[in-house]
Amino acid sequence: MVRTERRGAQCPSCKQHSDAPHSTYVRRPADLPSAGRVVQFELHVRRFSCRNTRCERRTFSERLPRLLAPNARRTRRLARAQCSVGMTAGAETGARLLKPLAMQTSPDTLLRLMHHTPLPAQTPPPGGRCG
């Protein structure tokens, strides 16, 4: 079970800090395996009331950007590992390789992760730009 220790959170729309609790809910994102076993967090997420009367949101949930993207079902580090395997081996083969490593996912999910990965920055050749 994982909980945050912060007193409040910032509204993603208006950026105003709120410490007025509204409710809680549980998320269970997958994480990197440990000792060959699947790991899944039980993350207790708090919802807060936005006190800004001009904000379009009435409630919002706390964000954990270093651990998890909003609405993600896997941690960022698991997504990076799965994406790396997909980039190296391809989606179909990568999905088959990930299954015995306790990081099972579908080829379609690997493709989605790969498509959302930015291309590496390219340096211009010596003497100017291409094209």
Side-chain angles (χ1 to χ4, degrees), residues 3-124:
R3 287 191 176 139
T4 60
E5 294 182 348
R6 291 180 277 178
R7 292 190 48 87
Q10 187 180 49
C11 176
S13 295
C14 69
K15 308 298 183 212
Q16 183 173 327
H17 183 80
S18 175
D19 58 358
H22 179 271
S23 60
T24 62
Y25 65 97
V26 176
R27 289 180 68 181
R28 291 182 177 86
D31 193 26
L32 285 174
S34 178
R37 308 284 306 243
V38 174
V39 173
Q40 195 170 43
F41 286 123
E42 184 172 291
L43 183 61
H44 290 254
V45 180
R46 298 173 296 173
R47 291 192 65 79
F48 294 93
S49 299
C50 184
R51 297 296 188 186
N52 184 353
T53 56
R54 294 184 181 171
C55 183
E56 72 251 11
R57 290 183 190 245
R58 294 289 167 239
T59 65
F60 62 91
S61 60
E62 60 188 331
R63 304 281 171 110
L64 305 166
R66 292 177 55 200
L67 175 67
L68 200 58
N71 302 319
R73 297 176 63 179
R74 64 183 50 79
T75 61
R76 290 187 188 277
R77 61 190 194 166
L78 175 59
R80 276 192 301 270
Q82 290 173 331
C83 185
S84 294
V85 170
M87 291 287 204
T88 303
E92 291 287 337
T93 305
R96 286 194 301 272
L97 286 170
L98 287 168
K99 188 174 182 177
L101 297 173
M103 292 189 280
Q104 185 171 352
T105 191
S106 72
D108 289 338
T109 299
L110 280 181
L111 279 175
R112 209 169 20 259
L113 290 171
M114 291 161 45
H115 282 286
H116 286 103
T117 301
L119 294 173
Q122 296 182 351
T123 57

